[in-house]
Amino acid sequence: MKNELIMPTKISFKSNRAMINGEVVRAATFARFIAAEVQTESAERYYLIFYKNALIYGDQLDNVEKGSFLDKVLNEGIVLDQQHPLLPVLIPATALTIPAKNKLFNHLQRNYSLLEIPCMAAALDSFFTTEQFSKPIEHIFFHYRRNGSFSKAYQSIHLLSDLSPSLEKISDLLHSREYSSYSNFYTTSSLSVIQKKDPLFAEFLCFMNRTNSEHYHMLEKILKNEERFAEGLLLWLDDKRNLTCESVKGQTQLALKYLPLENWIQVLSYAKINPFKWVPEARTFIEGLMRNRQYEKAAVYLFPFIEELPEEYHLLLNEIWKQVDAEFVVSHLEEFLLLHQQVAQENDPRQFEQRILQLTAKLMEEHDLKVVCEKLKPIQKNFPHSIIIRKINEMTALLENPDRMMELGQFYADFNQYDQAIECFYWEMELKPADPAPVRQLCKMYQQKGMVNEASAYQQIYTQLRSEQETG
């Protein structure tokens, strides 16, 4: 998918009463968390942590500490670069506010269950000292233990050592005999039973083992039940085993309930899944672009799959080929060559020759003659009788022959490349100062360029040479 179809994901958030604007340059999902790396307008780096799509904290960081939760998310999560089409869906478009650091854990306890707080605190180890973020975790653990809720005490912290190495000492609290029965529950129970008892742990377990079929399907079910559709789509895209025709159709039905068709086509294209092969609605989308005369945009969508488009797209390709201008073709030359191969057999040769002329003239504005000749070779294979390409080949052969600069100049003039033609005719005039022919051509070239004074000067020289020639 061409970058020109994807707009940057802008984000605004308030930090310490200051409003900060930036772009999301990277994000990653990890179970219930999303981490976003933001580059601000002043080139600072902020990292924001979301829990179930709600911002819980963020701050400026010079680097991500190895082994931290943030490092784990960005290396073991499902990572989206800044061009990923689902990035704007994951990141809220509204202005956000980073909670005050000294009031954060009180804020979390007011808005989330006690069993969620330890996990959320562990996710913030890049922003707080070990003492700062372990204190609320220990408080919750001992709160449950004092109340005789040993099961919840165990449940509140047994996941943490997997999230942050800094919390290994807290996890050591669970090694006493009184917690052995709860430990056995997690090692002997089925995944579905664990999910009912401890949905938070089950989701992390499934995410971290998502390459396992059972864990994948459980996680898929969790995301579907909670209507976290974007994360569900990312999970599906992350698992290459599930990219089948039937799964594409099924995910399309789901995705189109939440995403515009254009966005879904972008998602599939980004994942190198051919939407024009498996999504019937994709052709309707392309036809709509073409009705609105957005031929170049339609071409950019089709280019990545040009060699494997269904036959019914050939008429659309033919129309695109007729309508796009040479400048666009030059800027997408490699894709254009593939497009040419698809429509070459169906095109009117006269129209095709005109298109080759336009393309060649544009190429000559950007490249020297040898490069133009090389770039046209793939077209020549499919269109060997092109007069235009034959001319280019002849011109290339003339480059090393100073005795035939007049011919080369005439060729350049045929392609409206007046500056190159002037060089050739000037060379010929220097070699043959008494010959009026190159001077006449120089006059014509300057006329074509609208340079009246120069054209007039060479006209006078031409008249004088003709007069001398006639008088002997």
Side-chain angles (χ1 to χ4, degrees), residues 30 76 162 191 201-217 219 235 241:
F30 193 94
E76 300 178 26
D162 291 331
L191 185 58
F201 174 81
E203 184 170 337
F204 273 88
L205 181 67
C206 290
F207 186 89
M208 290 186 286
N209 295 280
R210 59 190 182 276
T211 56
N212 175 281
S213 181
E214 181 184 9
H215 290 80
Y216 174 90
H217 290 300
L219 182 56
L235 175 68
R241 299 169 303 170

Side-chain angles (χ1 to χ4, degrees), residues 114-115 118-119 140-141 144 151-158 160:
L114 286 182
L115 287 175
C119 182
I140 291 170
F141 172 78
Y144 280 127
S151 173
K152 289 187 176 180
Y154 185 93
Q155 189 175 329
S156 68
I157 67 172
H158 83 289
L160 301 186

Side-chain angles (χ1 to χ4, degrees), residues 104-122 132-158 160 170 173-174 179 200:
L104 176 63
F105 292 111
N106 290 332
H107 167 76
L108 295 178
Q109 289 185 38
R110 287 195 304 270
N111 292 279
Y112 299 95
S113 71
L114 286 182
L115 287 175
E116 291 176 292
I117 303 301
C119 182
M120 299 169 77
Q132 285 175 322
F133 73 85
S134 63
K135 188 174 181 180
I137 296 174
E138 292 176 342
H139 176 78
I140 291 170
F141 172 78
F142 288 115
H143 164 77
Y144 280 127
R145 197 170 77 169
R146 282 193 304 271
N147 292 335
S149 300
F150 289 92
S151 173
K152 289 187 176 180
Y154 185 93
Q155 189 175 329
S156 68
I157 67 172
H158 83 289
L160 301 186
I170 292 180
L173 295 170
L174 303 179
Y179 295 107
L200 176 62

Side-chain angles (χ1 to χ4, degrees), residues 11-225:
I11 190 169
S12 299
F13 55 90
K14 185 180 290 185
S15 177
N16 297 324
R17 299 183 180 179
M19 204 67 195
I20 297 172
N21 300 308
E23 291 183 8
V24 180
V25 297
R26 180 172 51 153
T29 66
F30 193 94
R32 297 184 179 185
F33 290 96
I34 298 172
E37 180 181 344
V38 177
Q39 180 169 306
T40 70
E41 293 175 340
S42 54
E44 296 171 327
R45 291 276 169 164
Y46 274 75
Y47 291 87
L48 308 181
I49 305 293
F50 298 81
Y51 180 81
K52 284 192 168 182
N53 298 316
L55 177 65
I56 57 172
Y57 194 67
D59 204 348
Q60 183 181 350
L61 292 175
D62 293 329
N63 55 70
V64 177
E65 184 179 351
K66 190 172 179 58
S68 65
F69 178 76
L70 186 54
D71 178 60
K72 189 179 187 72
V73 172
L74 294 174
N75 284 284
E76 300 178 26
I78 300 175
V79 180
L80 296 77
D81 64 28
Q82 64 191 116
Q83 297 296 329
H84 200 294
L86 282 177
L87 189 58
V89 182
L90 284 178
I91 304 301
T94 56
L96 306 167
T97 299
I98 297 176
K101 192 170 188 177
N102 60 347
K103 298 179 181 178
L104 176 63
F105 292 111
N106 290 332
H107 167 76
L108 295 178
Q109 289 185 38
R110 287 195 304 270
N111 292 279
Y112 299 95
S113 71
L114 286 182
L115 287 175
E116 291 176 292
I117 303 301
C119 182
M120 299 169 77
L124 303 177
D125 59 355
S126 293
F127 309 103
F128 294 84
T129 66
T130 302
E131 181 182 0
Q132 285 175 322
F133 73 85
S134 63
K135 188 174 181 180
I137 296 174
E138 292 176 342
H139 176 78
I140 291 170
F141 172 78
F142 288 115
H143 164 77
Y144 280 127
R145 197 170 77 169
R146 282 193 304 271
N147 292 335
S149 300
F150 289 92
S151 173
K152 289 187 176 180
Y154 185 93
Q155 189 175 329
S156 68
I157 67 172
H158 83 289
L159 172 65
L160 301 186
S161 61
D162 291 331
L163 302 185
S164 174
S166 305
L167 294 172
E168 287 184 6
K169 291 183 178 178
I170 292 180
S171 299
D172 288 343
L173 295 170
L174 303 179
H175 293 162
S176 61
R177 184 176 300 176
E178 60 190 328
Y179 295 107
S180 60
S181 61
Y182 306 114
S183 176
N184 290 337
F185 167 79
Y186 288 95
T187 57
T188 60
S189 301
S190 67
L191 185 58
S192 59
V193 171
I194 294 174
Q195 201 275 329
K196 290 179 182 178
K197 178 74 173 178
D198 190 349
L200 176 62
F201 174 81
E203 184 170 337
F204 273 88
L205 181 67
C206 290
F207 186 89
M208 290 186 286
N209 295 280
R210 59 190 182 276
T211 56
N212 175 281
S213 181
E214 181 184 9
H215 290 80
Y216 174 90
H217 290 300
M218 173 63 75
L219 182 56
E220 185 181 46
K221 182 178 179 181
I222 291 170
L223 297 175
K224 184 177 181 180
N225 289 341

